[in-house]
Amino acid sequence: AGLGGGSSDAAAVLLGINKLFDLKLSQRDLTHYAQQLGSDVPFCLRPLIALAEGRGEVITPWNNCPVLNLVLFKPPFGVSTKRAYDNLHRVKIGKRPSWRNMAGALSSGDQDAVIGAAGNVLEYSTFDLHPELKRYVRELAGLGFKKVLMSGSGPTLLGFAESADQAYRLAERWERPDWEVIVTRTLTDEDLAEEWIRIEEEENDPCKA
């Protein structure tokens, strides 16, 4: 779907093995193993916002992101990640997003600035392989989203909404029953802290063990 599901599953398995078998592997050790599984896996070992460089193994934690209200639109077909990357060398790249612009937007905490700086070069490749996705982007933008982008190598499309209420309203206007439509939002540092507290409480509760 282009949402990092495989990479995050792989990262979760590494973290789980480290904890279950009390291996006491450092973050550096885990990253070493993660990069052998896939370029996105090291990123998934660390939560929230980060700058990924190299092949994906050089991770620098970044500023917290303002809450972004999103709708995920997954069409009833998949895209081969390998094919999308192979095809990237065969298509003409137009505008490239700037990570420096994104860094400045994150630092400002301005939602509109973050959305404006967001981009995905892989769109040029995947849209070349699946031209219908480009048409779907235009149709979704016409519903009233602030911006519509493809996630990862696709085919899932992201609609950025003004608010949670608007996200739900716009999601209901997409009348294609064979699509998966999910209303969600980005996580904050506070969200993650609460989740870790919940996990630790369950681990220390013998009734839930």
Side-chain angles (χ1 to χ4, degrees), residues 7 20 49 55 63 80 82 91 99-100 110 112 115-116 123 125 127 131 134 153-154 159 196 199:
S7 297
L20 287 170
I49 303 298
R55 286 185 58 253
N63 307 76
S80 165
K82 182 180 186 303
V91 296
W99 71 265
R100 289 183 175 83
D110 187 304
D112 287 336
I115 294 173
E123 286 184 345
S125 176
F127 289 177
K134 194 170 185 177
S153 56
W196 279 114
I199 292 172

Short mmCIF file of all heavy atoms in Angstrom, two decimals, residues 7 20 49 55 63 80 82 91 99-100 110 112 115-116 123 125 127 131 134 153-154 159 196 199:
data_model
loop_
_atom_site.label_atom_id
_atom_site.label_comp_id
_atom_site.label_asym_id
_atom_site.label_seq_id
_atom_site.Cartn_x
_atom_site.Cartn_y
_atom_site.Cartn_z
N SER A 7 7.97 -2.71 6.53
CA SER A 7 9.15 -2.20 7.24
C SER A 7 8.88 -2.06 8.73
O SER A 7 9.74 -2.39 9.56
CB SER A 7 9.56 -0.84 6.66
OG SER A 7 9.94 -0.97 5.31
N LEU A 20 12.30 -9.88 24.26
CA LEU A 20 11.89 -11.21 24.73
C LEU A 20 13.07 -12.06 25.17
O LEU A 20 12.98 -12.81 26.14
CB LEU A 20 11.11 -11.93 23.62
CG LEU A 20 9.69 -11.43 23.35
CD1 LEU A 20 9.15 -12.06 22.08
CD2 LEU A 20 8.77 -11.74 24.52
N ILE A 49 9.15 11.92 14.04
CA ILE A 49 9.84 12.64 12.98
C ILE A 49 11.34 12.43 13.03
O ILE A 49 11.96 12.54 14.09
CB ILE A 49 9.55 14.15 13.07
CG1 ILE A 49 8.04 14.40 13.01
CG2 ILE A 49 10.24 14.90 11.95
CD1 ILE A 49 7.39 13.96 11.74
N ARG A 55 21.52 5.17 3.05
CA ARG A 55 20.54 4.23 2.50
C ARG A 55 19.29 4.17 3.38
O ARG A 55 18.41 3.33 3.16
CB ARG A 55 21.15 2.83 2.39
CG ARG A 55 22.15 2.65 1.28
CD ARG A 55 22.62 1.20 1.15
NE ARG A 55 21.51 0.29 0.93
CZ ARG A 55 21.02 -0.57 1.84
NH1 ARG A 55 21.52 -0.60 3.06
NH2 ARG A 55 20.03 -1.39 1.54
N ASN A 63 12.33 17.80 14.75
CA ASN A 63 11.33 18.49 15.53
C ASN A 63 9.99 17.76 15.46
O ASN A 63 9.69 17.07 14.51
CB ASN A 63 11.12 19.92 15.00
CG ASN A 63 12.42 20.68 14.89
OD1 ASN A 63 13.21 20.46 13.98
ND2 ASN A 63 12.66 21.59 15.81
N SER A 80 4.15 -2.65 -7.03
CA SER A 80 5.42 -3.27 -6.68
C SER A 80 6.42 -2.18 -6.33
O SER A 80 6.74 -1.32 -7.16
CB SER A 80 5.94 -4.11 -7.85
OG SER A 80 7.31 -4.42 -7.66
N LYS A 82 9.62 -2.48 -5.81
CA LYS A 82 10.80 -2.66 -6.65
C LYS A 82 10.59 -2.06 -8.04
O LYS A 82 11.46 -1.36 -8.56
CB LYS A 82 11.15 -4.13 -6.78
CG LYS A 82 12.41 -4.40 -7.59
CD LYS A 82 12.71 -5.88 -7.69
CE LYS A 82 14.05 -6.13 -8.40
NZ LYS A 82 14.12 -5.54 -9.74
N VAL A 91 11.96 7.92 -15.82
CA VAL A 91 11.00 9.01 -15.98
C VAL A 91 11.69 10.35 -15.67
O VAL A 91 12.71 10.40 -14.98
CB VAL A 91 9.79 8.83 -15.04
CG1 VAL A 91 9.02 7.58 -15.40
CG2 VAL A 91 10.22 8.80 -13.58
N TRP A 99 14.13 18.90 1.77
CA TRP A 99 14.08 18.55 3.18
C TRP A 99 14.40 19.76 4.05
O TRP A 99 13.94 19.87 5.19
CB TRP A 99 15.02 17.39 3.50
CG TRP A 99 16.49 17.70 3.44
CD1 TRP A 99 17.32 17.53 2.39
CD2 TRP A 99 17.29 18.23 4.51
NE1 TRP A 99 18.60 17.91 2.72
CE2 TRP A 99 18.61 18.35 4.02
CE3 TRP A 99 17.04 18.61 5.82
CZ2 TRP A 99 19.65 18.84 4.79
CZ3 TRP A 99 18.08 19.10 6.60
CH2 TRP A 99 19.37 19.20 6.09
N ARG A 100 15.16 20.71 3.49
CA ARG A 100 15.46 21.93 4.26
C ARG A 100 14.19 22.75 4.46
O ARG A 100 13.97 23.33 5.53
CB ARG A 100 16.54 22.74 3.55
CG ARG A 100 17.92 22.09 3.60
CD ARG A 100 18.99 22.96 2.95
NE ARG A 100 20.32 22.40 3.10
CZ ARG A 100 20.82 21.45 2.32
NH1 ARG A 100 20.09 20.97 1.30
NH2 ARG A 100 22.04 20.97 2.53
N ASP A 110 4.10 25.31 11.93
CA ASP A 110 3.00 25.79 11.10
C ASP A 110 2.45 24.64 10.25
O ASP A 110 3.16 24.10 9.40
CB ASP A 110 3.49 26.93 10.21
CG ASP A 110 2.36 27.60 9.44
OD1 ASP A 110 1.63 26.90 8.71
OD2 ASP A 110 2.23 28.83 9.53
N ASP A 112 0.22 24.60 7.81
CA ASP A 112 0.18 24.89 6.37
C ASP A 112 1.57 24.82 5.74
O ASP A 112 1.73 24.36 4.61
CB ASP A 112 -0.42 26.28 6.11
CG ASP A 112 -1.92 26.31 6.36
OD1 ASP A 112 -2.55 25.24 6.27
OD2 ASP A 112 -2.45 27.40 6.63
N ILE A 115 2.51 21.10 5.30
CA ILE A 115 1.78 20.53 4.16
C ILE A 115 2.35 21.05 2.85
O ILE A 115 2.53 20.30 1.89
CB ILE A 115 0.27 20.85 4.27
CG1 ILE A 115 -0.32 20.14 5.49
CG2 ILE A 115 -0.46 20.43 3.00
CD1 ILE A 115 -1.76 20.52 5.79
N GLY A 116 2.68 22.34 2.82
CA GLY A 116 3.23 22.92 1.60
C GLY A 116 4.57 22.35 1.23
O GLY A 116 4.91 22.23 0.05
N GLU A 123 6.08 9.71 -6.95
CA GLU A 123 4.85 9.91 -7.73
C GLU A 123 5.14 9.88 -9.23
O GLU A 123 4.35 9.33 -10.01
CB GLU A 123 4.21 11.26 -7.37
CG GLU A 123 3.51 11.27 -6.03
CD GLU A 123 2.80 12.59 -5.77
OE1 GLU A 123 3.07 13.57 -6.48
OE2 GLU A 123 1.98 12.63 -4.85
N SER A 125 7.26 8.18 -10.89
CA SER A 125 7.42 6.81 -11.35
C SER A 125 6.11 6.03 -11.30
O SER A 125 5.69 5.41 -12.28
CB SER A 125 8.47 6.09 -10.51
OG SER A 125 8.57 4.74 -10.89
N PHE A 127 3.00 7.11 -11.03
CA PHE A 127 1.98 7.66 -11.92
C PHE A 127 2.24 7.28 -13.37
O PHE A 127 1.33 7.15 -14.18
CB PHE A 127 1.91 9.18 -11.80
CG PHE A 127 1.33 9.68 -10.50
CD1 PHE A 127 1.26 11.03 -10.23
CD2 PHE A 127 0.87 8.80 -9.54
CE1 PHE A 127 0.74 11.50 -9.03
CE2 PHE A 127 0.35 9.24 -8.33
CZ PHE A 127 0.29 10.59 -8.08
N PRO A 131 -1.26 5.53 -14.59
CA PRO A 131 -1.72 6.90 -14.88
C PRO A 131 -3.05 7.25 -14.21
O PRO A 131 -3.32 8.43 -13.96
CB PRO A 131 -1.87 6.90 -16.41
CG PRO A 131 -0.99 5.78 -16.89
CD PRO A 131 -1.04 4.74 -15.81
N LYS A 134 -2.97 9.52 -11.05
CA LYS A 134 -2.88 10.97 -11.22
C LYS A 134 -4.27 11.57 -11.36
O LYS A 134 -4.54 12.66 -10.84
CB LYS A 134 -2.02 11.29 -12.45
CG LYS A 134 -1.57 12.74 -12.53
CD LYS A 134 -0.54 12.92 -13.63
CE LYS A 134 0.02 14.33 -13.64
NZ LYS A 134 1.07 14.51 -14.66
N SER A 153 5.65 4.36 -2.23
CA SER A 153 5.64 3.95 -3.64
C SER A 153 4.22 3.72 -4.15
O SER A 153 4.02 3.30 -5.28
CB SER A 153 6.47 2.68 -3.82
OG SER A 153 6.01 1.65 -2.98
N GLY A 154 3.23 4.00 -3.29
CA GLY A 154 1.84 3.90 -3.69
C GLY A 154 1.27 2.50 -3.49
O GLY A 154 1.96 1.59 -3.06
N GLY A 159 -4.94 12.54 1.74
CA GLY A 159 -5.62 13.82 1.64
C GLY A 159 -5.43 14.59 2.94
O GLY A 159 -5.77 14.10 4.02
N TRP A 196 3.58 4.32 25.57
CA TRP A 196 4.63 3.58 26.28
C TRP A 196 4.25 3.35 27.73
O TRP A 196 4.53 2.29 28.31
CB TRP A 196 5.96 4.32 26.19
CG TRP A 196 6.68 4.09 24.90
CD1 TRP A 196 6.94 5.00 23.93
CD2 TRP A 196 7.21 2.84 24.42
NE1 TRP A 196 7.60 4.40 22.87
CE2 TRP A 196 7.78 3.08 23.15
CE3 TRP A 196 7.25 1.56 24.95
CZ2 TRP A 196 8.38 2.08 22.40
CZ3 TRP A 196 7.85 0.55 24.20
CH2 TRP A 196 8.41 0.82 22.94
N ILE A 199 1.83 0.43 27.77
CA ILE A 199 2.52 -0.85 27.56
C ILE A 199 3.23 -1.31 28.82
O ILE A 199 3.17 -2.47 29.21
CB ILE A 199 3.51 -0.72 26.38
CG1 ILE A 199 2.75 -0.54 25.06
CG2 ILE A 199 4.42 -1.95 26.30
CD1 ILE A 199 3.64 -0.21 23.88
#
